[in-house]
């Protein structure tokens, strides 16, 4: 099996303090991987590292595909909901790679946008300003944009926070569809039931990897307890890390 | 009918300086208003004000070298504005200091420096000209400059439209699909400078930012959609120009302040009765709907 991406002794962090510490391993092409761990475990940091928004402090990430082939859904709070833009235009942004700065949006593209909006169940919302959407509708719109991005590697950062069960189950169906299309999906999640039910593989992170493999073997009570203990507080007087130095 | 003609049309037919002022205001409206909409949506409204002041020392140095020469002052203003914009933009992108803080630092220092430099050589009349402009004395060269800047601004905005919108709504998404973010931001700041320099020639350094921000603020109350908002802002700007010039003609008032005051009145009216978040909708919401 070929790897979609490989971490080589990867350390990511802020201001020299590691948030992901010495991560090794690879994600196979077409994998459906859940990243779990306590708050502050470095899950979001890991996604930012993969997408290239955060340069590694040490080690590296090898990607088998170009960064253009990655779709990244950050946490919802980072979007300016007061901006005067309608749902249709927000979804259409997913065509950036295709249309870019000046490329046209023709009939074919409009059909794709319409189909994406339909498959997340937002028909009739095309001309609504994004400020008028509920949290669940907004997340549906962002999933429609992901659909249009047509990426081989899809990164989702806590995509189901504060959504109702119907919305979560609809969006999980989309993720299953991507999995069926042999795309690689990495999702940061908190709900262990969802992970057990829908994700074959899991990575338990507590700055350092605690366990990584098939979900039932990762989500054991011992591992979860270990993860909680390892996620100690930020230490402003930490020494320089000597692991693998020299 | 003839009275309407006398009030609305005759001043422009009879006096060339009124026609020139009108053309100048059209150009300024087309260039500045859309840029103002983006400044407002990026919560950089006050930054526009700070930039307008940053232009002054550059224009003043141009004045010191060549007197009230159009090109010297334009080049000086653009150089100073771009330098400040790029410096402040890079500072805010690479350090923890936010954009407003890094611009505020340049604000009063620049104004003081500019006034000082002009006072060194010029008279109080020159100073008034620089501070408040004179839209009724636009010569051919200035008109040509204003039209050129407006054209550049419209074309550049058309090219930058998508990344600019993306940068405002969802900067992380833009960063994940493209490296256009930082160049777009810098190009946008350059557009702000170019339009402020144009506004500087017509309205002076203190009011230059008026044609940018006031129509944009008014447009916010009329449209939920960016395209419409931009069009409304342009219409408000043009309307302010026409009505302001007429008021200034009939009442003998200074033209620059008259134009901005008319824009201000349109803003207050929009604030009161605008359908998108205006006061009337807040205070008298009407009975609720079925669904």
């Amino acid at each position: 099996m070929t790897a979609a991406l490989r971490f080589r002794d990867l350390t990511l962090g802020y201001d020299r303090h590691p948030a992901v510490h010495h991560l090794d391993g690879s994600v196979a092409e077409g994998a459906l991987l859940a990243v779990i761990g306590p708050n502050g475990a470095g899950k979001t940091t890991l996604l930012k590292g993969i997408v290239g928004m955060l340069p590694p402090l040490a080690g590296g990430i090898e990607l088998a595909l170009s960064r253009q082939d990655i779709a990244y859904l950050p946490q919802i709070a980072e979007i300016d909901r007061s901006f005067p833009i309608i749902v249709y235009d927000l979804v259409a942004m997913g065509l950036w790679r295709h249309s870019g700065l000046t490329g046209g949006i023709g009939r074919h593209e409009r059909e794709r946008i319409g189909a994406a909006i339909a498959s997340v169940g937002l028909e009739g919302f095309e001309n609504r300003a994004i400020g008028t959407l509920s949290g669940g509708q907004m997340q549906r719109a962002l999933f429609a944009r992901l659909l249009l991005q047509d990426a081989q590697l899809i990164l989702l950062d806590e995509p189901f926070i504060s959504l109702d069960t119907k919305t979560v189950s609809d969006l999980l169906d989309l993720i299953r569809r991507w999995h069926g299309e042999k795309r690689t999906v990495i999702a940061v999640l908190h709900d262990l039931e969802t992970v057990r039910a829908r994700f074959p593989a899991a990575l338990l992170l507590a700055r350092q990897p605690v366990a990584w493999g098939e979900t039932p073997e990762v989500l054991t009570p011992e591992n979860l307890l270990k993860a909680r203990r390892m996620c100690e507080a930020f230490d402003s007087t930490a020494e320089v890390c000597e692991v693998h130095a020299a | 009918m003839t009275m309407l003609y006398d009030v609305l049309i005759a001043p422009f037919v009879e006096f060339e300086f009124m026609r020139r002022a009108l053309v100048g205001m059209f150009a300024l409206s087309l260039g500045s208003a859309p840029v103002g909409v983006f400044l407002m949506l990026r919560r950089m409204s006050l930054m526009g004000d700070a930039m307008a002041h940053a232009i002054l020392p550059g224009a003043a140095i141009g004045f010191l070298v060549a007197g009230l020469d159009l090109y010297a002052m334009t080049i000086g203003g653009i150089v100073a504005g771009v330098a400040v914009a790029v410096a402040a933009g890079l500072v805010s992108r690479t350090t923890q200091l936010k954009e407003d803080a890094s611009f505020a630092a340049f604000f009063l220092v620049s104004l003081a420096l500019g006034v000082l430099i002009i006072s060194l050589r010029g008279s109080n009349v020159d100073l008034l000209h620089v501070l408040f402009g004179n839209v009724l004395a636009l010569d051919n060269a200035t008109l040509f400059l204003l039209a050129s800047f407006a054209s550049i601004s419209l074309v550049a905005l058309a090219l930058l439209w998508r990344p600019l919108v993306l940068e405002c709504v969802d900067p992380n998404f833009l960063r994940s699909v493209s490296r256009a973010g930082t160049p777009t931001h810098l190009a946008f700041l350059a557009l702000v400078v170019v339009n402020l320099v144009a506004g500087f020639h017509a309205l002076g350094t203190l009011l230059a930012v008026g044609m940018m921000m006031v129509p944009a603020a008014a447009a916010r109350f009329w449209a939920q959609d960016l395209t419409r908002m931009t069009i409304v802002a342009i219409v408000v700007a043009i309307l302010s120009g026409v009505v302001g010039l007429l008021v200034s003609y009939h009442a003998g008032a200074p033209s620059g302040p008259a134009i901005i005051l008319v824009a201000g009145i349109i803003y207050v009216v929009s604030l009161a009765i605008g359908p998108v978040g205006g006061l009337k909708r807040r205070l008298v919401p009407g009975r609720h709907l079925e669904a």
Side-chain angles (χ1 to χ4, degrees), chain A residues 79-113:
Chain A
I79 289 176
D80 179 5
R81 298 275 297 268
S82 70
F83 195 90
I85 184 172
I86 57 174
V87 171
Y88 187 90
D89 290 346
L90 181 80
V91 173
M93 285 177 185
L95 290 174
W96 175 275
R97 189 161 61 109
H98 172 82
S99 297
L101 212 56
T102 55
I105 304 277
R107 184 147 61 100
H108 175 64
E109 284 76 25
R110 283 199 294 276
E111 274 167 15
R112 284 184 61 195
I113 296 168

Side-chain angles (χ1 to χ4, degrees), chain A residues 138-150:
Chain A
M138 183 68 192
Q139 202 66 346
R140 285 172 186 267
L142 292 176
F143 265 72
R145 187 174 75 180
L146 281 174
L147 277 170
L148 284 184
Q149 279 187 267
D150 193 24

Side-chain angles (χ1 to χ4, degrees), chain B residues 35-65:
Chain B
V35 170
V37 169
F38 275 101
L39 270 180
M40 172 185 71
L41 291 175
R42 316 180 104 199
R43 299 186 174 83
M44 284 161 64
S45 303
L46 289 176
M47 198 213 82
D49 205 27
M51 296 261 289
H53 293 83
I55 286 167
L56 188 60
I61 291 171
F63 172 78
L64 202 58
V65 173

Side-chain angles (χ1 to χ4, degrees), chain A:
Chain A
M1 205 184 288
T2 43
L5 71 164
R6 179 167 287 142
F7 308 115
R8 290 216 188 275
D9 193 25
L10 174 70
T11 297
L12 292 162
Y14 308 92
D15 200 16
R16 293 174 69 206
H17 292 282
V20 173
H21 211 178
H22 300 299
L23 180 64
D24 266 303
S26 62
V27 180
E29 253 171 40
L32 180 52
L33 175 71
V35 179
I36 48 179
N39 286 327
K43 307 182 295 292
T44 297
T45 307
L46 180 63
L47 295 195
K48 283 185 177 168
I50 295 172
V51 85
M53 285 164 59
L54 192 66
L57 296 178
I61 303 169
E62 287 168 19
L63 288 171
L65 35 78
S66 86
R67 293 210 191 278
Q68 294 283 308
D69 253 322
I70 304 175
Y72 171 47
L73 180 63
Q75 287 181 36
I76 198 162
E78 298 179 35
I79 289 176
D80 179 5
R81 298 275 297 268
S82 70
F83 195 90
I85 184 172
I86 57 174
V87 171
Y88 187 90
D89 290 346
L90 181 80
V91 173
M93 285 177 185
L95 290 174
W96 175 275
R97 189 161 61 109
H98 172 82
S99 297
L101 212 56
T102 55
I105 304 277
R107 184 147 61 100
H108 175 64
E109 284 76 25
R110 283 199 294 276
E111 274 167 15
R112 284 184 61 195
I113 296 168
I117 290 175
S119 50
V120 296
L122 279 185
E123 298 113 316
F125 286 83
E126 288 87 347
N127 289 316
R128 290 266 294 268
I130 59 170
T132 67
L133 296 185
S134 72
Q137 289 162 345
M138 183 68 192
Q139 202 66 346
R140 285 172 186 267
L142 292 176
F143 265 72
R145 187 174 75 180
L146 281 174
L147 277 170
L148 284 184
Q149 279 187 267
D150 193 24
Q152 286 310 305
L153 173 58
I154 299 166
L155 308 172
L156 308 168
D157 196 352
E158 306 199 7
F160 305 137
I161 288 278
S162 70
L163 300 183
D164 63 24
T165 45
K166 169 80 171 86
T167 307
V168 171
S169 120
D170 285 356
L171 297 183
L172 277 167
D173 288 343
L174 278 179
I175 293 178
R176 184 161 58 195
R177 182 173 131 194
W178 286 328
H179 186 51
E181 289 165 355
K182 300 284 176 231
R183 300 177 201 270
T184 312
V185 181
I186 302 179
V188 169
L189 292 172
H190 272 301
D191 180 26
L192 299 183
E193 289 315 309
T194 308
V195 176
R196 284 200 180 92
R198 303 286 199 124
F199 286 76
L203 162 62
L204 179 55
L205 204 62
R207 291 199 191 161
Q208 299 171 41
V210 176
W212 187 350
E214 287 180 24
T215 302
E217 285 144 42
V218 172
L219 291 186
T220 61
E222 302 81 57
N223 281 342
L224 292 171
L225 189 64
K226 198 172 151 203
R228 214 172 305 147
R229 287 215 185 101
M230 277 169 65
C231 222
E232 70 274 70
F234 175 87
D235 181 0
S236 61
T237 59
E239 303 284 331
V240 170
C241 174
E242 296 294 347
V243 183
H244 304 301

